[in-house]
Amino acid sequence: MKYTTLPNTDIKVSKICLGTMTFGQQNTEADGHAQMDYALEKGVNFFDTAEMYSVPANEATYGSTEKIIGTWFKKSGNREKIVLASKIAGPNANFGYMREKLDFSPTSIKYAVENSLKRLQTDYIDLYQMHWPERKTNCFGQRAFTGFEDSWQDNFREVLETFDGLIKEGKIKHIGVSNENSWGMMRFLEESKYQNLPRIKTVQNPYNLLNRLFEVNSAEVSKYENVGLLAYSPLAFGTLTGKFLTGDEHPNARINLFPQYTRYASEQCTEATKLYQEIAHKHGLTLTQLAMGFVLQQPFLTSAIIGATTLEQLKENIDTIDVVLSKEILAEINKVQAVIPDPAP
């Protein structure tokens, strides 16, 4: 395994992070425990979860992923070996079962943290993230700006003050954002700088060969402000393994089980995937190796979050840590990007 550090900390994390959002629906508790055992054995010390998981979110499975991680901690005694990240859900009309109000008010943040700690059976969370912005903005596959939300009030300072209190209590250690854009990142950084409040350490956004939108301006913030990218969906919901190019049905694949997830299902995504697979095979690589290798080599990356429903998939994903793409391969990748730029928003 290869390691880096969470920016502006001395916490060592693996460059591959175990994503757990399938625990509780596609994966049983036993499956989840087996994945965590295997990942730790292979040097993965960074796990990511969220209060809303498993996904797709629903009341029946709310918090199931954190509970499965919690029972693994209790059974294995491995809590101190893991850098644990979780998230608070933001506003969503469909998630009212989570708590009385889905916002980032002090009451909501404290409530969410306390309940995550109980489910996780731990006293602290190493990295606590806001799952998506509280304000209305373009995220989760929205390419175009959808308009301002006049009802939202700037509360960046209050949010950081709340986190400051929780850090002083020892319930969380560091904070990050997720599905955030450059303006939101800079506002949090501005408040922390001038008000002497906790600084965001990471941003968890989608990043893969079919979605390189992070490079447009957020990568610059990441580089110069030292906010590390936690890249989720590096294999684009399995699209970048090439399995959907075989003609097989794959009934248990995520995008077949949950057809509402259409981010990587367009004709442009399929065409780009074919071209990337040609590059991979030309250079003696699998498409998975090409896709993961590309993400892992980015200078703004802290860790790539992988998810799997089988141990075989998990092994293949973890083994890509040793892949190094040549300048020639990277140039060929960029030629495809120039012809079919970011087909998945």
Side-chain angles (χ1 to χ4, degrees):
M1 183 50 58
K2 296 177 182 177
Y3 299 89
T4 182
T5 57
L6 286 180
N8 297 307
T9 78
D10 59 359
I11 298 176
K12 182 179 77 170
V13 293
S14 49
K15 289 200 73 173
I16 287 179
C17 172
L18 179 65
T20 61
M21 71 178 185
T22 60
F23 297 1
Q25 284 193 65
Q26 289 177 272
N27 290 111
T28 65
E29 180 181 55
D31 292 337
H33 286 193
Q35 285 198 28
M36 290 183 281
D37 285 339
Y38 182 82
L40 183 59
E41 177 187 332
K42 293 299 180 180
V44 175
N45 74 335
F46 193 15
F47 294 178
D48 179 73
T49 188
E51 67 165 344
M52 69 169 281
Y53 290 169
S54 58
V55 171
N58 64 78
E59 188 169 2
T61 60
Y62 166 50
S64 60
T65 301
E66 288 187 328
K67 289 176 183 176
I68 289 171
I69 295 172
T71 58
W72 183 77
F73 282 152
K74 183 177 181 179
K75 180 183 77 172
S76 68
N78 284 330
R79 174 64 187 96
E80 298 305 314
K81 297 179 181 179
I82 301 301
V83 179
L84 178 64
S86 193
K87 314 178 196 74
I88 178 175
N92 187 304
N94 298 319
F95 298 162
Y97 54 84
M98 291 189 186
R99 54 182 176 275
E100 184 175 347
K101 197 170 184 182
L102 282 166
D103 61 10
F104 296 154
S105 66
T107 299
S108 292
I109 291 174
K110 292 173 184 177
Y111 179 90
V113 168
E114 291 291 349
N115 281 276
S116 283
L117 290 172
K118 290 176 184 177
R119 289 188 291 265
L120 290 162
Q121 299 193 51
T122 185
D123 296 326
Y124 67 96
I125 296 168
D126 297 282
L127 178 67
Y128 197 66
Q129 305 153 98
M130 290 156 276
H131 208 151
W132 57 86
E134 188 174 6
R135 68 192 186 281
K136 182 180 179 181
T137 187
N138 53 324
C139 64
F140 291 124
Q142 296 175 345
R143 190 185 295 274
F145 184 65
T146 56
F148 296 101
E149 184 178 20
D150 294 335
S151 63
W152 176 76
Q153 298 293 317
D154 186 323
N155 61 345
F156 288 93
R157 180 174 179 177
E158 181 182 61
V159 168
L160 291 179
E161 288 174 340
T162 303
F163 285 134
D164 188 40
L166 289 166
I167 290 170
K168 288 175 179 175
E169 290 180 52
K171 293 178 179 178
I172 61 177
K173 290 189 174 182
H174 302 283
I175 59 171
V177 291
S178 180
N179 296 295
E180 184 57 277
N181 59 33
S182 56
W183 182 80
M185 293 165 66
M186 289 305 300
R187 283 291 287 111
F188 275 116
L189 292 167
E190 178 183 59
E191 290 294 338
S192 65
K193 179 178 180 180
Y194 293 109
Q195 305 300 332
N196 193 30
L197 290 167
R199 196 177 194 278
I200 60 169
K201 303 299 197 301
T202 56
V203 54
Q204 183 176 150
N205 279 16
Y207 185 74
N208 55 58
L209 288 174
L210 302 178
N211 182 340
R212 293 170 59 176
L213 292 172
F214 188 82
E215 296 176 18
V216 176
N217 54 31
S218 294
E220 190 173 27
V221 177
S222 182
K223 168 67 175 177
Y224 294 119
E225 299 295 333
N226 198 24
V227 178
L229 172 64
L230 305 181
Y232 76 77
S233 294
L235 293 175
F237 273 28
T239 299
L240 289 170
T241 66
K243 63 184 179 183
F244 300 119
L245 302 179
T246 64
D248 298 328
E249 293 186 0
H250 300 290
N252 295 320
R254 192 163 193 79
I255 62 175
N256 290 327
L257 287 173
F258 311 114
Q260 66 268 39
Y261 296 124
T262 60
R263 195 177 217 170
Y264 303 105
S266 69
E267 292 182 8
Q268 292 88 349
C269 283
T270 300
E271 185 59 32
T273 300
K274 290 178 180 177
L275 295 173
Y276 288 128
Q277 182 165 264
E278 289 175 7
I279 294 171
H281 291 174
K282 174 184 174 182
H283 294 278
L285 299 169
T286 66
L287 181 53
T288 299
Q289 290 173 324
L290 182 83
M292 285 294 297
F294 175 78
V295 173
L296 290 166
Q297 282 182 233
Q298 298 306 316
F300 43 77
L301 182 84
T302 291
S303 191
I305 303 173
I306 59 169
T309 53
T310 69
L311 284 176
E312 291 75 18
Q313 291 172 338
L314 184 61
K315 180 181 186 302
E316 181 182 15
N317 293 346
I318 290 175
D319 286 348
T320 63
I321 192 65
D322 294 320
V323 174
V324 178
L325 304 184
S326 67
K327 290 182 179 179
E328 178 186 359
I329 295 174
L330 293 173
E332 292 179 22
I333 286 172
N334 285 332
K335 286 180 181 178
V336 176
Q337 165 75 352
V339 176
I340 311 177
D342 302 312

